[in-house]
């Protein structure tokens, strides 16, 4: 199996650990899986991105949405999905048209700008317009880089933990499916990506199950700092990827 994946035992173990930790983070604060998984996969098997990472998000987002489904903001799911449609198309176009380093650095800068705006303006107004914009930007980023969580996470950073996790899970599940369809249409999803994601998926499910033990602590006041911190890490990580590609 490892030969099929193009990994040796050590790199496969490290990818599994990254998937577990990423799922643990996303299951706790609502996003973060591909923030942690994508850089590790990029180091050992860059050909697997972004399709394999997006495939991994399907069981993660479905589990997050179902676990606290009574808290889902259904209006947000609707308006975010409407906004995400053009974002997905734009993200697939960017993957096809732009060089990887320019794409990575642009996305990373946008994420960091969003974190800066959040720190300067403590609360974003949640309404149809902001939900649609978050969906648009998230769809573009998620399709282009597999890291589409920060826009919605920043919008909902002040909401209670169950609302954040379940709403982000539901919106990301739909968004992941749309991104996957767009990449498939562009010819960027192949059998190798499905096999790769399938081999890593058990670690994602294990992380999701373990994350439930962190909910109480995070919901006591640590959720927003974690959201902002991981959003900043996402931006820095994508920027670093762009810098490495320039070398």
């Amino acid at each position: 199996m490892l030969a099929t994946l193009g990994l040796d035992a050590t790199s496969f173990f490290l990818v599994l650990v990254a998937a577990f930790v990423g799922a643990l983070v996303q299951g706790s604060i609502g996003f973060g899986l591909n923030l942690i998984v994508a850089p590790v996969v990029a180091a050992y098997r860059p050909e697997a991105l972004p399709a394999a990472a997006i495939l991994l998000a399907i069981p993660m987002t479905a589990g997050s949405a179902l676990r606290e489904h009574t808290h889902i903001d259904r209006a947000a799911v609707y308006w975010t999905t409407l906004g995400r449609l053009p974002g997905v198309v734009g993200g697939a176009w960017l993957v096809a048209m732009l060089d990887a380093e320019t794409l990575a650095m642009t996305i990373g800068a946008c994420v960091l700008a969003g974190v800066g705006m959040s720190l300067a303006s403590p609360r974003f107004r949640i309404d149809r317009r902001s939900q649609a914009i978050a969906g648009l930007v998230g769809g573009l980023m998620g399709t282009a880089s597999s890291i589409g969580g920060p826009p919605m996470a920043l919008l909902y950073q002040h909401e209670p933990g169950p609302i954040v996790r379940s709403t982000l899970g539901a919106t990301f599940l739909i968004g992941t499916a749309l991104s996957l369809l767009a990449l498939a249409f562009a010819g960027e999803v192949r059998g190798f990506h499905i096999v790769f994601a399938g081999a890593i998926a058990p670690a994602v499910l294990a992380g999701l199950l373990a994350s439930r033990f962190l909910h109480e602590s995070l919901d006591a006041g640590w959720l927003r700092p974690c959201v902002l911190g991981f959003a900043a890490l996402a931006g820095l990580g994508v920027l670093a990827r762009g810098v490495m590609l320039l070398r």
Side-chain angles (χ1 to χ4, degrees), residues 56-148:
L56 281 175
I58 293 178
M60 180 73 241
T61 53
S64 295
L66 290 172
R67 185 164 58 185
E68 298 177 288
H69 67 277
T70 57
H71 297 280
I72 294 174
D73 182 346
R74 287 168 173 76
V77 175
Y78 176 77
W79 289 105
T80 301
T81 301
L82 286 182
R84 188 176 290 268
L85 290 171
V88 166
V89 174
W93 179 82
L94 288 175
V95 169
M97 297 300 295
L98 295 183
D99 56 90
E101 58 269 22
T102 300
L103 180 62
M105 296 184 76
T106 300
I107 291 173
C110 289
V111 174
L112 290 176
V115 174
M117 289 172 58
S118 177
L119 292 172
S121 176
R123 186 180 295 271
F124 293 109
R125 181 178 178 181
I126 298 177
D127 54 21
R128 295 176 179 179
R129 181 180 179 181
S130 61
Q131 290 164 346
I133 291 174
L136 172 68
V137 179
L140 191 151
M141 289 175 50
T143 305
S145 70
S146 78
I147 299 174

Side-chain angles (χ1 to χ4, degrees), residues 126-223:
I126 298 177
D127 54 21
R128 295 176 179 179
R129 181 180 179 181
S130 61
Q131 290 164 346
I133 291 174
L136 172 68
V137 179
L140 191 151
M141 289 175 50
T143 305
S145 70
S146 78
I147 299 174
M152 275 294 290
L154 291 174
L155 180 62
Y156 274 81
Q157 62 185 286
H158 291 280
E159 299 302 303
I163 294 177
V164 174
R165 290 185 291 266
S166 61
T167 302
L168 267 61
T171 57
F172 293 166
L173 177 60
I174 297 172
T176 296
L178 292 174
S179 294
L180 200 58
L181 286 174
L183 288 175
F185 185 78
E188 298 293 334
V189 180
R190 298 180 294 278
F192 162 72
H193 296 117
I194 298 173
V195 173
F196 193 97
I200 308 302
V204 171
L205 295 175
L208 173 64
L209 291 173
S211 68
R212 62 186 293 269
F213 298 106
L214 299 178
H215 288 182
E216 184 176 351
S217 298
L218 288 170
D219 293 351
W222 286 98
L223 186 62

